[in-house]
Amino acid sequence: MKNQIWAFLVAMPALALLFSACNKNDSGGNGNAKLTVYLTDAPANYDAVNIDVQDVLVNASTGDNGWQSIHLLRPGVYNLLNFRNGIDTVLASSGLPAGKISQIRLVLGSNNSVVVNGTAYPLETPSAQQSGLKLNVQATLTADVEYRLWIDFDANRSIVTTGNGKYILKPVIRTYTQATSGSIKGIVLPAVHINSVFAIQNTDTIATAKPDPLTGAFLLAGLNAGAYNVAFAGDGLVKDTIVTSVNVSIGQVTTIAPITLK
């Protein structure tokens, strides 16, 4: 019966895209989590609040030796007021080793300003220019799970006006993380005779993976919560197999029992 189900699925025209559009997971995982950093803001009584973002660093230790830069998509000036009322923008995205992250650091350049009644004023950020704005996170990343981290500025409370008419940035920021997906992993043997592994909901192929040729380990990552059928395609020397009703939860990796195709 399982082989009949698999034959029905691969025969469907919609699955002609299977090996191209859905080939986003092709290994058994490497112990990393994916972290994407977003910038968002609370409302503020200014025309614009421009910050010059030059780097985002993550600290995976409790000291100052664990800092590492993650990939910044676009260094440069961001107007915080463009990201109010639930709107955000991606600052950086990178794979990180699974485990705890204690802090992040937002490094700013010198091109920061605030616009008040149509007039732009320099926004002084002396400490941020030297070492970056250090923010506590205290999050635990699980291997093979994708996470989002938000840097939520309160621009209205973050700007201080001095007696001589200067504007200084003293950031009031909160950070929070959210796991956005789950994963399925396992081992399928004999590895040399397995072409692909697929995560299927109804008749839609959601993800596909190529098992490790030596160990047979596979990972189907980036899955929404729900039940999946996991299909194993052999090379003709072994028969195709389906494991049904594999449940996935956000922030967790579901491990299925080892499979041997015969």
Side-chain angles (χ1 to χ4, degrees):
M1 177 61 70
K2 291 180 178 179
N3 291 336
Q4 292 175 350
I5 295 173
W6 172 248
F8 173 76
L9 289 172
V10 297
M12 295 182 63
L15 292 184
L17 298 176
L18 186 67
F19 296 97
S20 55
C22 295
N23 192 26
K24 62 181 180 180
N25 301 303
D26 57 4
S27 69
N30 55 8
N32 282 356
K34 181 180 179 182
L35 179 66
T36 301
V37 180
Y38 291 79
L39 179 66
T40 189
D41 178 41
N45 297 319
Y46 300 102
D47 297 338
V49 178
N50 301 308
I51 61 170
D52 182 9
V53 181
Q54 292 300 313
D55 202 358
V56 177
L57 301 98
V58 174
N59 191 350
S61 71
T62 56
D64 284 332
N65 297 322
W67 290 102
Q68 67 178 88
S69 177
I70 60 179
H71 178 60
L72 191 64
L73 272 64
R74 182 184 66 82
V77 175
Y78 293 78
N79 179 6
L80 292 178
L81 303 192
N82 288 337
F83 311 115
R84 294 175 290 185
N85 301 320
I87 299 174
D88 53 33
T89 187
V90 176
L91 285 181
S93 186
S94 181
L96 294 173
K100 293 183 178 180
I101 55 174
S102 58
Q103 296 173 319
I104 65 169
R105 183 177 285 166
L106 185 66
V107 180
L108 303 184
S110 59
N111 193 18
N112 305 287
S113 64
V114 58
V115 180
V116 182
N117 296 326
T119 301
Y121 299 90
L123 190 56
E124 297 184 5
T125 56
S127 61
Q129 292 176 27
Q130 295 173 8
S131 60
L133 305 172
K134 191 180 292 186
L135 310 170
N136 292 324
V137 178
Q138 304 300 335
T140 300
L141 307 184
T142 301
D144 306 324
V145 172
E146 298 179 3
Y147 289 83
R148 293 180 180 179
L149 184 150
W150 280 269
I151 299 174
D152 186 2
F153 259 87
D154 188 334
N156 201 49
R157 297 169 59 198
S158 297
I159 298 175
V160 177
T161 306
T162 66
N164 56 4
K166 291 184 178 181
Y167 293 86
I168 299 175
L169 180 65
K170 292 188 175 180
V172 176
I173 299 174
R174 71 184 183 111
T175 62
Y176 53 98
T177 58
Q178 179 187 73
T180 62
S181 68
S183 302
I184 299 171
K185 72 175 183 179
I187 294 174
V188 58
L189 298 172
V192 295
H193 295 299
I194 311 301
N195 286 331
S196 295
V197 183
F198 308 100
I200 300 170
Q201 279 189 322
N202 300 318
T203 58
D204 294 329
T205 299
I206 308 302
T208 182
K210 179 72 174 178
D212 183 276
L214 296 179
T215 66
F218 66 88
L219 171 70
L220 296 160
L223 303 176
N224 293 328
Y228 293 81
N229 294 331
V230 180
F232 302 88
D235 61 359
L237 297 178
V238 295
K239 295 181 179 179
D240 306 330
T241 298
I242 290 182
V243 176
T244 61
S245 301
V246 178
N247 291 314
V248 172
S249 299
I250 298 300
Q252 297 183 12
V253 179
T254 300
T255 302
I256 63 175
I259 301 292
T260 300
L261 273 61
K262 299 179 180 179

